[in-house]
Amino acid sequence: MPRKMTGARLFAQTLQAYGVTHVFFMDAVLRRALAEMEDCNITRILGHSEKAVAYMADGYARVSGRPGVCFAQSVGAANLAAAMQDPYLGHSAVVAFTGRHVPQFQHRNAYQEVEHEPLFAAVAKFHAKIETLDQMQHLMRQAFREATTGTPRPVHIDIAGLTGDAITALEGEFDIVADLAHTRYPAFRPAPDPAAVRHAAEAIARSRRPVVVADRGVTFSGAAPALARLAERIQAAVVVTLDAKAAMLEDHPLFRGVVGLYGRSCANHVVADADLVIFAGSNTSDHTTANYKLPAPGTPVIQIDADPVEIGRNHPGTVGLLADVASGMEALAAACAPGQHADWLGHSQKHVDAWRAEADKARASTQVPLRPERLCAELTEVLPQDAILIADTGYAALWSGTLVYLRSPNQSYHRAAGSLGWSFPASLGAKCAAPDRPVICFCGDGGFFYHLPELETARRRGIKTVTIVNNNHALTQGLRNLTTAYGERDKARMNECFEYRETDFARVAQAFDCFGTTVEKPGELRAAFERAMASELPAVIDVKTEFGAQAALPWVPS
């Protein structure tokens, strides 16, 4: 039965009805609604920048499987829009609200006002304006519907008023309603067309060297069990992208490693040798396919995806299964006869054995300062069995994605879709989504510098994470290309382009009243990690690593 309430209460109770437990925001925005949230069991996390709160909402969404919500006032809309690129590329359901001057102030040089729609156009799948109280309920429902349907991605809502409060004091009669399907993502799990399944099963029956490439759609579909069933049924080798790193454990007999430009040479060799590739929940990007060189041209492709636009985008003649990724793989496993590919599995395992022999040497390095490979080996050993590992982009993703081994089905891994600095605030959002699980952030010093003030947020709100900083006081990933760019020039001043001052992040953490400790030698991480975990404070472990250390790049076809 409709009840009389203010727009602020309608807003807060609608979020509550959609299962929102946290909102991440920069003041000044939606203050009346924030006050009402006290009665709705919604935790309000005030951050230090619009980008940081957006990344918190993103981390929350990726870990919880529910939409993450963030707010900013009108003048912060441009910053919030810039932060939407990572959840957009990472297929994360983030609902972003910004204030916007009322219509009678538009196009009159109103204070702090620019057009918001163009800012969000490239990074949000839906944009709308709430100008009247009567629009609020419908457009909030539509925002959650858009964010969670098909490929999950950010949406943006402008709400009237510089701080979004032009209509929140108004009253009306409303029922609180929510579409339960859109409290999570994927909202729907469609089954594939039986004819398409038969077509795919026939292609698999003809194959002698099948490979399954598991990508981010496997992760947000919760399709790891279906992946194992399909691969075991047809006896296919399995490779994963960084976005599906946790979909199959290191010791699974069919696992062949992480594929792509941030992957392992062994996995790339396996895909290059395949005579059939099954892309599961993949947009077949340049990173996944090593600049579109994997698989070899002409290799038959099966693609399972909930988004019809993605099927066949980069591989003509693709056999497409339009379906939820888990549902599609389950249907395909049921339709296929058991495979027998001992020769292929033996051949592909040799690539893994060769790669691992080289990796083990690097991971066992006794060098001081530490090599990042040794840091990853030690992190593998101390990582809790139910840990959530959040990695930054660049070398942080390459090193952690390839050299930190996941050994428990309860461990999970999420990495930035490309935004340097994403990992630390995202780890705070992840911890809000999973307060009972240990959340570990892995980043470099360059990435950690982006959002250092959020240490104060973590301390103020009691968000207990452990951040491991691979600290070589440089943006090292660019050094290889920078050296090439300099050529025969005098390199005496080249450091101006990539080097930072040495910073003691343990002392920085302590200045924020957080836990901080330093690791300088191999073998010291375990004790430091145990102290960090035992502390009740947000923790930073500053690991001093080799200046300019270069990551080994994976083999890719010429």
Side-chain angles (χ1 to χ4, degrees), residues 515-535:
F515 176 90
T517 190
T518 301
V519 168
E520 296 183 302
K521 297 178 181 178
E524 292 182 348
L525 182 66
R526 178 176 292 278
F529 189 83
E530 289 174 353
R531 293 196 302 273
M533 290 292 292
S535 169

Side-chain angles (χ1 to χ4, degrees), residues 410-498:
N410 297 319
Q411 291 173 333
S412 56
Y413 178 91
H414 302 270
R415 62 98 181 208
S419 301
L420 190 61
W422 172 89
S423 61
F424 176 51
S427 73
L428 303 186
K431 185 64 175 180
C432 290
D436 297 328
R437 294 179 64 186
V439 174
I440 315 302
C441 172
F442 185 95
C443 63
D445 52 297
F448 193 48
F449 270 124
Y450 266 72
H451 299 294
L452 267 179
E454 302 309 331
L455 281 169
E456 189 279 334
T457 304
R459 180 65 178 88
R460 169 170 38 90
R461 297 316 311 265
I463 306 173
K464 162 64 178 173
T465 61
V466 175
T467 300
I468 297 174
V469 183
N470 173 33
N471 184 5
N472 59 11
H473 62 95
L475 291 174
T476 303
Q477 187 174 12
L479 181 56
R480 184 179 276 116
N481 288 339
L482 189 60
T483 301
T484 300
Y486 260 72
E488 299 303 317
R489 293 174 61 95
D490 181 1
K491 297 180 177 61
R493 294 177 55 195
M494 191 174 74
N495 65 314
E496 295 175 8
C497 300
F498 74 100

Side-chain angles (χ1 to χ4, degrees), residues 203-214:
I204 291 171
R206 292 191 295 269
S207 170
R208 295 295 176 265
R209 302 187 303 279
V211 173
V212 181
V213 177

Side-chain angles (χ1 to χ4, degrees), residues 105-156:
F105 278 48
Q106 294 296 318
H107 311 293
R108 300 180 66 183
N109 299 323
Y111 179 58
Q112 299 183 342
E113 186 75 0
V114 297
E115 281 290 327
H116 294 171
E117 187 169 3
L119 301 174
F120 285 88
V123 291
K125 65 189 290 193
F126 174 74
H127 165 85
K129 300 172 184 176
I130 300 176
E131 307 280 20
T132 68
L133 183 57
D134 288 342
Q135 292 178 293
M136 182 180 288
Q137 192 168 55
H138 170 70
L139 289 176
M140 288 183 72
R141 287 180 57 228
Q142 190 62 23
F144 281 88
R145 180 184 303 276
E146 294 274 0
T148 59
T149 301
T151 300
R153 277 192 162 131
V155 300
H156 171 239

